[in-house]
Amino acid sequence: MKVPGMSGRVHAALMAAVLAAMVSIVSCVHEPFANGGEDDEGGPGNSPGTPAIPGCVDNGDVCFESSILPIFLSSCARSGCHDAVSRREGFVLDSYANIMKKGIVAGKAGESELYKVLFRTGEDQMPPDGPLSQAQKDSIAAWINEGAKNTTNCNCACDTAKFTYAAVIQATLANNCVGCHKPGALSGGIDLSTYTAVKAQVSNGKLWGSITHAAGYSPMPQGGKLSDCQISQISKWIDAGALNN
């Protein structure tokens, strides 16, 4: 609509400016971040938020690859127990496919033999050289109850800015190493079950050499190398003095 008294040239210029502004508004719609964020009322939304770790899929479930498989590899899939050679009681617990062959009822931890056996005591205790921690048992239960899915590439919570012993380093070693390196199962004569024991392996360079798969050291964990993020956390912890913090 033309305003009375406005020349044709001015009117055309005004309409062009309005059109440009409309195009700018439409083109300014932001793509949502992969991990959501919160809306104006604090609920789940698309933006604002922070981009997810590239390639990392986080749906809130327990991550099998980083949180569950390392427990089975370190504490169960060992020589004489449940590796591919020993196969005690017919169980091989060295991969997702083998773990799921028997003893797991997806969605029902209470009906899953591989979970219930973790609470046995005496001669029937599993692992026989010492029980899993309550946190490890809880993780396995949650994973089963969530459907016992083969979730991979999902260690999204790893943060290289966090590297205290109590909150980060101890848990990483407990899940990936302690099953083979504790009193009663001292593989290579190395103990990683206490801070004092871990500090000794830091001081002699064996912990760093093993987790980085450096020449001349036994590559650990046996089930596969720690993630770059986990190695970075341990590196920063060591550089900061390997404190019992």
Side-chain angles (χ1 to χ4, degrees):
M1 181 178 69
K2 188 174 180 180
V3 179
M6 181 181 291
S7 70
R9 181 176 297 178
V10 173
H11 178 263
L14 178 61
M15 291 302 294
V18 171
L19 209 67
M22 292 176 64
V23 170
S24 175
I25 291 171
V26 171
S27 64
C28 199
V29 176
H30 297 284
E31 289 296 322
F33 287 121
N35 64 338
E38 295 182 350
D39 59 20
D40 293 337
E41 297 179 356
N46 288 327
S47 186
T50 55
I53 298 172
C56 201
V57 180
D58 184 7
N59 63 358
D61 289 348
V62 175
C63 185
F64 174 79
E65 180 182 46
S66 63
S67 299
I68 304 302
L69 181 59
I71 298 174
F72 280 108
L73 290 175
S74 175
S75 300
C76 310
R78 295 179 289 174
S79 177
C81 295
H82 302 293
D83 62 354
V85 176
S86 305
R87 308 177 66 92
R88 286 189 62 179
E89 299 180 5
F91 285 95
V92 179
L93 304 176
D94 60 1
S95 69
Y96 176 79
N98 285 330
I99 290 169
M100 293 300 296
K101 283 183 178 178
K102 66 175 186 175
I104 296 288
V105 180
K108 300 179 180 179
E111 297 179 16
S112 299
E113 183 179 355
L114 285 181
Y115 175 67
K116 293 191 293 182
V117 74
L118 301 178
F119 295 89
R120 292 179 183 174
T121 57
E123 294 182 355
D124 296 325
Q125 176 180 275
M126 288 292 169
D129 47 32
L132 298 181
S133 68
Q134 188 59 50
Q136 290 173 317
K137 293 175 183 178
D138 290 346
S139 291
I140 292 173
W143 170 69
I144 294 173
N145 287 331
E146 289 167 359
K149 302 170 186 175
N150 186 19
T151 44
T152 61
N153 196 30
C154 44
N155 189 20
C156 307
C158 187
D159 184 350
T160 57
K162 298 177 181 178
F163 49 90
T164 60
Y165 179 76
V168 177
I169 308 303
Q170 187 177 39
T172 297
L173 297 178
N175 281 352
N176 293 277
C177 312
V178 173
C180 295
H181 299 289
K182 63 184 178 182
L186 289 176
S187 179
I190 294 174
D191 183 9
L192 296 174
S193 63
T194 66
Y195 169 76
T196 301
V198 171
K199 183 65 182 292
Q201 299 307 315
V202 170
S203 298
N204 63 27
K206 289 184 177 180
L207 178 65
W208 182 248
S210 290
I211 66 170
T212 57
H213 294 193
Y217 294 90
S218 297
M220 294 292 170
Q222 293 182 344
K225 198 173 183 180
L226 295 177
S227 71
D228 291 343
C229 178
Q230 290 171 317
I231 292 175
S232 177
Q233 288 174 317
I234 294 175
S235 173
K236 290 182 177 182
W237 174 67
I238 293 175
D239 290 344
L243 303 175
N244 187 13
N245 51 5

